[in-house]
Amino acid sequence: MQAAAEQLMHLQGIFKFQSSGHSFMAVAGHAPDAYASVSVLLNFSIGLLERAQHITLPTGRPLRLRLAMHSGPANAGVVAGNYPFYCVFGIAVRWAEVMQSLAAPGCVYISDSSLSRLSRNGAPLVLPMGARQVEQPALVHAGLGQINGSLVVPSWEPDPDPPHQQ
């Protein structure tokens, strides 16, 4: 799956900046047209879901990814120490991480801020999820104790699993 993700990122001009265990974070929007970047990220996400369908786990079940998208300001730079590394951080990054943990397998959980930047022409099925409470102290302290978003369901996915509650 990692090779498929790397190939899709290269084809679509998406920057992967952080890997951790079985997850990674990708960034787009550093180009002048942030509206086009949301479409690029959604196409990338749907491409990942499509490729994951063809990967079978040792249990015999297909790989089901949980993906999330959020648009917002972030900071980037090299974090120094014994092993300097490039990092993107900020409330928007934390928001995306929380959304990913709430996402339904096989779908893309997209925030209202990303959805508002997305052209609806030819878009896949979008199911509004409404407001969901978040208990992450950094987000609550910033006045962001609720996530408003929708599920983007790829055309081959007939019925998404309901997202698990926190």
Side-chain angles (χ1 to χ4, degrees):
M1 190 69 227
Q2 185 74 18
E6 297 282 347
Q7 181 185 29
L8 284 171
M9 282 187 265
H10 177 72
L11 290 172
Q12 300 203 18
I14 294 172
F15 176 67
K16 178 181 92 169
F17 74 87
Q18 187 173 342
S19 295
S20 175
H22 294 293
S23 66
F24 69 91
M25 189 167 295
V27 176
H30 42 285
D33 188 358
Y35 289 90
S37 296
V38 172
S39 293
V40 167
L41 270 176
L42 183 59
N43 289 336
F44 166 71
S45 299
I46 290 172
L48 280 179
L49 293 174
E50 183 177 15
R51 290 182 185 203
Q53 276 190 298
H54 305 290
I55 297 175
T56 304
L57 298 172
T59 61
R61 297 179 60 187
L63 178 63
R64 304 270 319 241
L65 301 176
R66 291 181 306 154
L67 305 175
M69 288 180 55
H70 177 62
S71 299
N75 300 303
V78 176
V79 177
N82 290 338
Y83 304 100
F85 62 95
Y86 186 75
C87 184
V88 178
F89 52 93
I91 291 293
V93 173
R94 184 69 189 124
W95 190 273
E97 291 169 347
V98 170
M99 287 185 66
Q100 184 272 334
S101 71
L102 298 172
C107 300
V108 181
Y109 192 19
I110 186 169
S111 69
D112 286 353
S113 66
S114 289
L115 191 59
S116 69
R117 292 171 170 84
L118 184 64
S119 167
R120 298 307 284 264
N121 296 336
L125 177 62
V126 176
L127 304 173
M129 295 298 294
R132 300 180 72 192
Q133 292 301 116
V134 176
E135 296 180 14
Q136 299 291 324
L139 294 176
V140 172
H141 181 69
L144 303 171
Q146 288 186 29
I147 290 179
N148 292 302
S150 301
L151 284 182
V152 176
V153 183
S155 59
W156 67 83
E157 195 71 38
D159 187 26
D161 294 338
H164 64 280
Q165 296 296 318
Q166 211 173 313

